[in-house]
């Protein structure tokens, strides 16, 4: 067993340097970008070229060193915070390791946040430096976010790593001119300036020192900055090694998850430390996955269920026999598990798709299925040194009996230091010391454990529906709805009800919208057969999509606000979306059969209930429309 992989008590940079095989003459990174061609006739599949550039082990290490020198020349010192607003490019990896090498701290934020959110994240960490994507929409927000400050900017484009001739041709085909902002330095000049620095002293290892700040998904609240240590990041690789999952030397691993997401960042680090070849693409479009698989034939890939759904729908996949591992993370794996495994079998793959469970607070991966340790429908077993327990919610009382639902609590080397900034109260609610002396992460999720030690996710405690004071999780309803072959996605939430407290409301996306009413009646029949009457939804909505947070998670709060908006008798439907206006968080479109005179009372009611239900943390901009929405809604009379 490689002892270097098991020794995690070192900086992330040193762990990487100690484990990467510099003698191997191969690409450490294959970087590709999508270039559109003419659309395929009668097909919604993408028709693209994927030009590539390869970066060797030696080149990767050289660029990390050059970036470290450039950072010092730029004025960045130990413990300085550099906010990173980038996508999956080689430069984001150079920057990550270089910052760690000199003892500075990366503060990762999502590129699609608003200008106000950007400014908040900069102020929160007192960040005086920012590394951004040289992209017009992002720079427009950056310009507003840094207005009135002396924050220094470094920018790089998605084609930064490509040869000069490629950039010239690309500029002729699609000229892109972005405004040069105050205090902005382009990547090429940034690296060139680093030549004045002759040597970089590697920052010494300090136990429990902050390695980076990574923001949570914000599924049901404002995203928070998680304080991550070097040991946290390295522990995930150690845990995989302990459970005998090791990526092979020179094997290719396709990473479709952004590095600014904890899972994507950890998987990229793991791939490089195992000396496998990391395939990077800057665009997280699930429709790219089929072409990427067909072109690169990676032995490993990690993706979201949305990528898996694109694979299932495609008619362009004929051979997956080269796959050794396919790992899915994120909401919705249950809905595709059977179909994706059927696709694997049909195309010659000798594997079963695996999934798991984790969060930023516990360094992305805590419980997982593995190729040799797997149960369909489960989220797997605790990984490596991670320990999981199930307790009665709100107590330390451990539930030892199998198949009893309780709150899932996790501890181990992946447990981070808590939330940064003014979030001590939130830290105390989530990172809790138990009677055994260990700190457990309480993520507010329900789970059960079977007699064989496999865990099963049973929903969010906050999304538990309290109907007439009786509480139940919506997962059994969602499972029933998803059993219909045309159900593509479903989220059931508790809709506020003045008499019953909450009633179940089902938000459904179909894979085929022909004969919607017939399909919905079939879904209702299934629910009536499988779910007890008290737990059945009182309203079903067929819609085109489920609203997500800006960090691409199911937005439970927004769905609840949308349901509240339909309570006034004058409102026939409501449709909520994220707002592009920096002064608002949501756009709420209200439909009615006739013109409403007293609009103020309607909006006041919505805001009052939403705040009392603790699902509204921001501002809503309203619009009123006379007429029908294009959604199908059916209410069940109880």
């Amino acid at each position: 067993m490689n002892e270097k992989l098991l020794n995690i008590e070192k900086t992330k940079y040193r762990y990487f340097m100690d484990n990467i095989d510099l003698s191997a003459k191969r690409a450490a990174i294959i970087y590709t970008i999508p270039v559109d061609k003419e659309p395929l006739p009668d097909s919604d599949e993408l028709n693209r070229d994927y030009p590539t550039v390869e970066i060797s082990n030696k080149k990767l290490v050289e660029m990390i060193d050059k970036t470290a020198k450039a950072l010092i020349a730029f004025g960045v010192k130990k413990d300085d915070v550099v906010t990173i607003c980038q996508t999956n490019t080689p430069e984001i990896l150079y920057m990550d390791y270089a910052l760690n090498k000199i003892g500075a701290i990366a503060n990762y934020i999502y590129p699609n946040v608003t200008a106000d959110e950007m400014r908040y994240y900069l102020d929160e960490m007192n960040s005086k430096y920012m590394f951004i994507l040289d992209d017009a929409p992002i720079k427009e927000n950056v310009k507003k976010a840094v207005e009135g400050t002396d924050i220094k900017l470094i920018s790089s484009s998605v084609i930064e790593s490509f040869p000069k001739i490629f950039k010239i041709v690309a500029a002729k085909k699609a000229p892109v001119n972005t405004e040069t902002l105050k205090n902005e330095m382009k990547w090429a000049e940034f690296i060139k300036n680093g030549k004045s620095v002759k040597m970089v002293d590697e920052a010494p290892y300090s136990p429990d020192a902050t390695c980076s700040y990574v923001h949570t998904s914000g599924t049901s609240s404002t995203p928070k900055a998680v304080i991550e240590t070097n040991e946290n990041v390295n522990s995930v690789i150690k845990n995989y090694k302990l459970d005998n999952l090791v990526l092979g030397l020179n094997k290719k691993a396709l990473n479709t998850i952004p590095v600014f997401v904890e899972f994507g960042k950890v998987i990229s680090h793991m791939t490089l430390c195992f000396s496998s070849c990391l395939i990077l693409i800057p665009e997280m479009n699930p429709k790219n996955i089929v072409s990427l698989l067909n072109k690169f034939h990676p032995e490993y890939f990690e993706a979201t269920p949305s990528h898996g759904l694109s694979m299932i729908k495609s008619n362009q996949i004929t051979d997956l026999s080269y796959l050794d591992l396919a790992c899915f993370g994120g909401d919705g794996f249950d809905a595709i598990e059977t179909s994706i495994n059927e696709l694997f079998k049909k195309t010659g793959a000798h594997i079963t798709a695996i999934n798991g469970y984790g969060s930023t607070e516990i360094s992305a991966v805590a419980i997982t299925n593995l190729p040799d340790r797997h149960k369909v429908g489960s989220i797997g077993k605790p990984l490596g040194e991670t320990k999981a327990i199930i307790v009665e919610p709100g107590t330390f009382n451990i539930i030892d009996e199998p198949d009893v639902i309780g709150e899932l609590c996790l501890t181990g080397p992946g447990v981070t230091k808590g939330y940064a900034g003014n979030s001590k109260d939130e830290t105390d609610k989530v990172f809790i010391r138990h009677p055994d002396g260990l700190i457990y992460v309480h993520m507010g999720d329900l789970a059960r454990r079977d007699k064989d030690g496999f865990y099963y996710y049973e929903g969010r405690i906050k999304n538990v529906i309290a109907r007439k004071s009786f509480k139940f999780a919506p997962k059994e309803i969602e499972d029933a709805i998803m059993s219909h072959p045309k159900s593509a996605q479903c989220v059931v939430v508790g809709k506020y009800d003045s008499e019953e407290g909450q009633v179940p409301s089902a938000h459904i996306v179909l894979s085929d919208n022909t004969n919607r009413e017939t399909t919905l009646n079939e879904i209702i029949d299934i629910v009536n057969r499988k779910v007890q009457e008290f737990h059945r939804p009182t309203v079903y909505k067929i819609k085109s999509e489920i609203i997500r947070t800006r960090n691409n998670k199911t937005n439970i709060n927004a769905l609840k606000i949308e349901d509240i908006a339909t309570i006034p008798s004058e409102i026939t439907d409501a449709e909520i979306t994220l707002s592009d206006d920096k002064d608002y968080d949501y756009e709420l479109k209200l439909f009615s059969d006739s013109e409403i005179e007293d609009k103020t009372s309607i909006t006041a009611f919505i805001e009052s209930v939403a705040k009392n239900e603790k699902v509204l943390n921001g501002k809503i901009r309203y619009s009123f429309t006379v007429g029908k929405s294009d959604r199908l809604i059916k209410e069940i009379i109880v």
Side-chain angles (χ1 to χ4, degrees):
M1 186 174 281
N2 184 345
E3 294 299 324
K4 290 181 180 178
L5 285 169
L6 297 180
N7 179 11
I8 65 172
E9 295 179 352
K10 54 186 71 174
T11 65
K12 177 180 179 179
Y13 168 78
R14 179 43 48 193
Y15 188 84
F16 159 76
M17 288 296 293
D18 285 349
N19 286 293
I20 190 169
D21 186 353
L22 291 173
S23 66
K25 294 182 179 180
R26 58 161 188 88
I29 298 171
I30 295 176
Y31 177 58
T32 184
I33 58 172
V35 177
D36 286 316
K37 299 193 293 185
E38 289 297 320
L40 294 170
D42 302 320
S43 173
D44 63 352
E45 299 224 32
L46 297 175
N47 187 25
R48 289 176 154 178
D49 282 328
Y50 293 86
T52 63
V53 62
E54 295 190 1
I55 296 158
S56 67
N57 281 337
K58 183 179 178 182
K59 175 74 170 178
L60 173 59
V61 172
E62 285 178 354
M63 285 306 303
I64 292 169
D65 189 56
K66 286 182 179 180
T67 305
K69 290 178 179 179
L71 284 166
I72 291 171
F74 202 63
V76 179
K77 301 179 181 65
K78 185 178 183 298
D79 296 326
D80 280 346
V81 176
V82 178
T83 297
I84 297 180
C85 183
Q86 262 275 358
T87 186
N88 278 11
T89 64
E91 287 71 33
I92 197 173
L93 296 175
Y94 304 155
M95 184 63 71
D96 180 84
Y97 286 113
L99 287 169
N100 192 253
K101 180 177 182 177
I102 69 173
I105 301 168
N107 176 36
Y108 282 94
I109 67 173
Y110 285 61
N112 62 349
V113 298
T114 66
D116 283 352
E117 288 168 326
M118 224 176 256
R119 179 62 177 265
Y120 173 81
Y121 296 143
L122 288 163
D123 290 345
E124 179 186 36
M125 296 299 124
N126 192 28
S127 178
K128 304 301 182 186
Y129 305 92
M130 196 172 185
F131 177 43
I132 65 173
L133 188 65
D134 198 353
D135 173 78
I138 289 175
K139 291 183 77 171
E140 184 180 341
N141 281 336
V142 170
K143 181 180 180 180
K144 296 174 184 175
V146 302
E147 187 176 1
T149 76
D150 290 322
I151 291 172
K152 297 172 71 175
L153 306 172
I154 307 159
S155 66
S156 69
S157 74
V158 293
I159 60 173
E160 200 71 55
S161 288
F162 278 82
K164 186 176 181 180
I165 187 65
F166 182 91
K167 296 175 184 176
I168 292 172
V169 173
K172 286 182 178 179
K173 287 185 175 180
V176 177
N177 296 311
T178 59
E179 177 185 358
T180 299
L181 305 180
K182 175 189 172 186
N183 294 332
E184 176 187 353
M185 185 177 287
K186 303 287 187 179
W187 180 262
E189 183 184 359
F190 167 72
I191 293 296
K192 184 178 179 180
N193 279 4
K195 291 180 179 180
S196 62
V197 178
K198 300 304 179 186
M199 191 175 71
V200 176
D201 292 327
E202 184 180 334
Y205 167 72
S206 176
D208 210 32
T210 299
C211 170
S212 53
Y213 299 112
V214 187
H215 284 81
T216 61
S217 64
T219 305
S220 56
S221 63
T222 303
K224 296 176 285 291
V226 173
I227 309 168
E228 183 177 61
T229 69
N230 292 285
E231 298 92 334
N232 294 152
V233 183
N234 297 334
S235 72
V236 179
I237 305 172
K238 177 183 179 181
N239 281 340
Y240 273 116
K241 175 71 173 175
L242 289 172
D243 279 353
N244 299 314
L245 194 155
V246 178
L247 306 186
L249 181 68
N250 296 330
K251 298 290 183 74
K252 297 186 293 296
L254 172 62
N255 179 17
T256 67
I257 311 295
V259 174
F260 52 77
V261 174
E262 180 67 4
F263 185 47
K265 184 164 66 66
V266 164
I267 292 298
S268 295
H269 182 47
M270 182 172 78
T271 301
L272 295 171
C273 290
F274 278 135
S275 285
S276 295
C277 177
L278 178 65
I279 302 171
L280 278 183
I281 182 169
E283 180 188 83
M284 191 188 160
N285 183 344
K287 289 187 177 182
N288 284 316
I289 185 73
V290 172
S291 297
L292 293 171
L293 291 172
N294 287 339
K295 174 166 183 170
F296 295 107
H297 286 192
E299 285 83 3
Y300 319 115
F301 78 82
E302 50 87 23
T304 69
S306 296
H307 290 85
L309 188 60
S310 288
M311 293 173 63
I312 293 163
K313 289 181 176 180
S314 175
N315 59 9
Q316 301 296 317
I317 298 179
T318 58
D319 177 24
L320 292 174
S321 61
Y322 50 82
L323 284 177
D324 291 333
L325 180 70
C327 180
F328 291 89
D331 300 334
F333 180 73
D334 287 354
I336 69 161
E337 184 170 15
T338 299
S339 298
I340 197 72
N341 284 322
E342 287 174 353
L343 174 66
F344 285 171
K345 185 176 181 179
K346 185 174 72 174
T347 54
H350 55 279
I351 62 168
T352 299
I354 64 171
N355 65 312
Y357 172 92
S359 69
T360 308
E361 288 84 350
I362 195 161
S363 305
V365 187
I367 299 175
T368 187
N369 280 294
L370 294 170
D372 60 350
R373 192 186 74 191
H374 179 269
K375 266 195 181 184
V376 172
S378 79
I379 54 175
K381 291 184 177 182
L383 182 66
E385 295 177 333
T386 305
K387 178 184 177 183
I389 58 173
I390 294 176
V391 302
E392 297 173 7
T395 75
F396 293 134
N397 300 330
I398 297 175
I399 299 173
D400 285 324
E401 297 82 3
D403 296 316
V404 177
I405 296 173
E407 182 179 6
L408 178 62
C409 305
L410 299 158
T411 192
V415 173
T416 55
K417 292 170 66 176
Y419 301 120
N422 301 315
S423 301
K424 186 181 185 306
D425 289 346
E426 291 297 321
T427 297
D428 292 343
K429 291 176 186 176
V430 175
F431 297 82
I432 299 175
R433 192 175 296 279
H434 280 224
D436 62 5
L438 300 175
I439 293 177
Y440 286 77
V441 173
H442 287 237
M443 287 309 304
D445 286 330
L446 298 170
R448 61 182 174 86
R449 183 187 64 252
D450 71 13
K451 61 182 178 61
D452 298 319
F454 285 85
Y455 285 75
Y456 297 78
Y457 176 73
E458 296 292 341
R460 295 282 296 168
I461 290 176
K462 287 184 179 179
N463 198 28
V464 166
I465 298 167
R467 188 174 189 181
K468 292 183 177 178
S469 299
F470 293 95
K471 296 181 179 180
F472 55 92
K475 190 171 185 297
E476 63 164 337
I477 312 167
E478 293 170 346
D479 288 346
I481 292 170
M482 290 305 300
S483 68
H484 191 285
K486 289 187 179 180
S487 293
Q489 190 180 4
C490 171
V491 179
V492 175
V493 299
K495 176 182 177 180
Y496 169 78
D497 185 278
S498 58
E499 294 184 2
E500 300 196 50
Q502 291 180 330
V503 292
S505 170
H507 299 254
I508 307 167
V509 177
L510 301 178
S511 59
D512 179 358
N513 279 286
T514 57
N515 302 317
R516 288 191 307 173
E517 189 152 4
T518 299
T519 300
L520 181 54
N521 288 334
E522 292 170 354
I523 288 172
I524 293 171
D525 286 342
I526 291 172
V527 172
N528 290 346
R529 290 199 308 270
K530 293 186 174 183
V531 178
Q532 63 163 290
E533 184 176 3
F534 189 70
H535 291 184
R536 294 172 193 163
T538 63
V539 60
Y540 292 83
K541 293 184 178 181
I542 302 295
K543 54 211 310 184
S544 59
E545 61 181 358
I546 303 290
I547 185 172
R548 314 286 284 182
T549 66
R550 296 190 193 282
N551 297 348
N552 204 36
K553 296 286 186 178
T554 302
N555 198 326
I556 300 294
N557 283 350
L559 293 176
K560 291 186 175 184
I561 294 169
E562 185 180 273
D563 279 343
I564 290 167
T566 62
I567 293 174
S569 57
E570 300 95 327
I571 304 301
T572 58
D573 192 14
E575 185 174 346
I576 195 167
T577 57
L578 297 180
S579 178
D580 292 328
D581 189 320
K582 67 181 182 65
D583 294 327
Y584 295 91
D585 296 278
Y586 297 113
E587 305 281 341
L588 186 57
K589 189 174 184 179
L590 304 175
F591 295 86
S592 61
D593 290 333
S594 58
E595 189 68 39
I596 296 175
E597 292 185 7
D598 188 4
K599 296 182 175 67
T600 302
S601 65
I602 300 287
T603 59
F605 170 82
I606 294 169
E607 301 232 351
S608 174
V609 175
K611 286 176 180 176
N612 287 339
E613 291 293 293
K614 298 180 180 179
V615 295
L616 179 59
N617 297 317
K619 293 177 68 178
I620 300 173
R621 180 162 63 183
Y622 298 88
S623 63
F624 288 79
T625 299
V626 176
K628 302 290 185 183
S629 72
D630 62 356
R631 303 194 292 190
L632 177 61
I633 300 175
K634 182 165 285 193
E635 295 195 41
I636 308 299
I637 305 301
V638 180

